[in-house]
């Protein structure tokens, strides 16, 4: 991409000055997964309109505002179409920033806020791209799906792992493709000790370099689960406290998340696609089309270590209060046994459908 005023940040990432002509910015957008718009000062309004023009024309890559900006400007920048703000540190800035006793701009992320037209357009573009990818990757091999996703969502993608019975395969493929990709682990504080030691062993063996541990908020935990037995009284509330909300915070920096789900898990996963849009983010399922035999064969061929509990008959492994042994590879029968639940809220299809109907879109 040869533009005099553009600075190449990586093969598909460019930095553009805020005063670049819109048509040049649109030409750059056709080649870049990430555009950084550099503001000359926090008063520079050209960057705002440039972001709005790019989004209005369907650009759904990462759009970052960089330069001498103020934290208080973030809501307005997000409304214009930016999905991240990277303000330069500069002399005097801390005093100026601390001078704001409150945010005078309304927070577009507040529950009462309605999605703007720009956000709805960004949502539609993101959804259309995910659907096109799902069609292109239908039935594809895990390596193909993963490589394409890492390219399309470069710098905005993470893998979510429970370090359970089948997790090693997805982690191994990621380590081979790019071991620096962030891996998110939900530390519910209800894991089996064997899972935690298996996690440490796998991370070291595979050379994964960016594992992020997401924990429940300590104040929320003290307030909502003072006796530590919320899982007995209200499993969904326990999952919301220990999984759903920590994950929502951990995904703030990402547009796409790689999962280890497979069609043979059954239930709502029976029709899983390689790429899904859940109303907020894109979910990548590289292992969706594998059979239990194919997973077992790959474990053997790649000499992957088994989770210690698989030998004790655990086919799917989550928190200890909600996991029991189960028959058959990949069976989720032992999860929330005796309860009318098959998912914990993270992958709840009904929740995803509600988010999509509401037009929710999170641009970080
Ligand atoms: Fe709580 Fe069970 Fe959910 Fe773990 S799986 S967060 S223990 S309800």
């Amino acid at each position: 991409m040869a533009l005099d005023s553009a600075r190449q940040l990586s093969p598909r990432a460019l930095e553009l000055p805020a005063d670049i002509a819109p048509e040049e910015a649109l030409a750059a957008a056709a080649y870049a997964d990430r555009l950084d718009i550099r503001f000359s000062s926090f008063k520079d309004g050209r960057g705002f309109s440039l972001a709005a023009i790019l989004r209005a024309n369907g650009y759904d890559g990462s759009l970052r505002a960089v330069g001498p900006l103020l934290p208080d400007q973030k809501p307005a920048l997000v409304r214009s179409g930016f999905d991240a703000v990277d303000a330069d540190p500069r002399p005097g800035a801390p005093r100026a920033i601390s001078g704001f006793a409150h945010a005078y701009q309304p927070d577009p992320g507040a529950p009462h806020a309605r999605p703007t037209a720009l956000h709805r357009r960004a949502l539609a573009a993101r959804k259309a791209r995910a659907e096109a990818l799902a069609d292109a990757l239908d039935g594809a091999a895990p390596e193909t799906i993963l490589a394409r996703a890492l390219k399309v969502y470069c710098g905005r993608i993470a893998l979510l792992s429970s370090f359970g019975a089948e997790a090693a395969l997805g982690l191994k493929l990621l380590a081979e493709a790019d071991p620096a990709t962030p891996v998110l682990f939900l530390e519910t504080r209800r894991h089996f000790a064997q899972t935690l030691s298996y996690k440490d062993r796998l991370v070291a063996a595979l050379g994964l370099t960016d594992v992020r541990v997401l924990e429940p908020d300590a104040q929320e935990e003290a307030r909502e689960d003072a006796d530590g037995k919320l899982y007995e009284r209200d499993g969904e509330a326990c999952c919301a406290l220990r999984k759903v909300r920590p994950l929502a915070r951990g995904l703030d920096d990402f547009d796409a998340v790689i999962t280890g789900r497979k069609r043979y898990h059954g239930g709502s996963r029976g029709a899983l696609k390689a790429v899904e849009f859940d109303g907020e983010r894109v979910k990548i399922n590289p292992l969706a089309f594998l059979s239990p035999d194919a997973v077992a064969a790959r474990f053997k061929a790649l000499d992957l270590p088994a989770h210690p509990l698989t030998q004790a008959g655990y086919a799917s492994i989550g928190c200890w209060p909600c996991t029991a042994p189960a028959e058959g590879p990949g069976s989720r029968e032992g999860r929330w046994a005796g309860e009318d639940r098959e998912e914990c809220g993270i992958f709840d299809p009904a929740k995803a459908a509600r988010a999509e109907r509401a037009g929710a879109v999170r641009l970080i």
Side-chain angles (χ1 to χ4, degrees):
M1 179 72 223
L3 277 178
D4 290 344
S5 51
R7 188 162 74 90
Q8 197 90 37
L9 300 171
S10 71
R12 292 179 66 91
L14 292 169
E15 182 183 289
L16 308 175
D19 64 353
I20 193 172
E23 53 275 17
E24 283 191 51
L26 288 169
Y31 295 92
D33 292 329
R34 172 183 150 191
L35 290 175
D36 287 9
I37 308 294
R38 178 158 290 281
F39 285 64
S40 59
S41 89
F42 74 91
K43 296 177 182 171
D44 189 345
R46 294 169 295 186
F48 289 86
S49 54
L50 196 56
I53 289 166
L54 285 164
R55 292 301 189 202
N57 281 276
Y59 181 65
D60 73 336
S62 174
L63 203 49
R64 304 170 70 86
V66 299
L69 297 155
L70 298 174
D72 198 60
Q73 289 179 290
K74 185 171 180 182
L77 289 161
V78 171
R79 280 201 300 278
S80 300
F82 286 103
D83 45 25
V85 181
D86 192 2
D88 289 344
R90 60 199 172 93
R95 199 167 50 223
I97 292 164
S98 66
F100 290 105
H102 62 277
Y104 59 85
Q105 309 250 24
D107 175 4
H112 61 271
R114 297 190 62 76
T116 65
L118 279 173
H119 280 150
R120 280 196 296 273
R121 276 201 286 269
L123 172 73
R126 187 174 293 179
K127 182 181 178 194
R129 192 174 203 185
E131 287 173 350
L133 270 177
D135 288 345
L137 294 169
D138 189 30
E143 292 84 350
T144 306
I145 297 170
L146 189 58
R148 187 94 176 95
L150 291 174
K151 192 169 175 196
V152 170
Y153 300 102
C154 175
R156 300 174 286 135
I157 186 166
L159 182 145
L160 175 65
S161 181
S162 63
F163 289 87
E166 298 175 333
L169 178 54
L171 291 163
K172 171 71 174 172
L173 297 177
L174 185 74
E176 286 181 345
D178 181 2
T181 305
V183 173
L184 309 179
F185 172 65
L186 287 164
E187 171 46 292
T188 61
R189 299 184 187 132
R190 296 290 178 272
H191 282 294
F192 293 94
Q194 291 93 330
T195 298
L196 300 178
S197 58
Y198 181 61
K199 168 175 108 29
D200 294 343
R201 204 148 53 89
L202 263 187
V203 168
L206 300 178
L208 297 162
T209 60
D210 188 4
V211 177
R212 304 183 188 187
V213 175
L214 309 177
E215 299 189 301
D217 178 86
Q219 286 184 342
E220 289 177 4
E221 190 178 24
R223 192 170 56 239
E224 298 171 26
D225 192 8
D227 65 357
K229 292 190 175 168
L230 184 57
Y231 61 83
E232 286 182 356
R233 294 187 296 278
D234 187 342
E236 292 203 6
C238 184
C239 277
L241 168 69
R242 299 181 182 280
K243 291 185 173 182
V244 177
R245 278 177 265 153
L247 182 62
R249 291 189 287 270
L251 284 176
D252 257 357
D253 291 335
F254 303 105
D255 293 343
V257 59
I258 303 161
T259 85
R261 293 176 300 162
K262 302 160 192 81
R263 286 188 172 181
Y264 68 72
H265 288 161
S268 58
R269 302 185 181 189
L272 205 58
K273 295 181 177 179
V275 180
E276 302 169 298
F277 181 69
D278 72 359
E280 288 185 75
R281 287 193 179 77
V282 179
K283 293 203 170 77
I284 313 294
N285 309 308
L287 310 175
F289 311 119
L290 291 188
S291 67
D293 286 349
V295 170
R298 281 173 174 255
F299 258 73
K300 197 169 170 193
L302 295 166
D303 198 21
L304 294 171
H307 190 297
L309 289 175
T310 54
Q311 287 153 0
Y314 288 80
S316 173
I317 302 162
C319 299
W320 59 261
C322 304
T323 305
E327 290 290 320
S331 167
R332 290 174 60 79
E333 292 290 310
R335 305 294 295 277
W336 303 288
E339 289 185 50
D340 186 22
R341 300 175 69 192
E342 60 179 51
E343 298 285 0
C344 63
I346 296 172
F347 297 124
D348 182 348
K351 181 170 160 273
R354 280 198 301 278
E356 186 160 358
R357 277 198 301 277
V361 59
R362 291 191 53 155
L363 297 171
I364 300 184

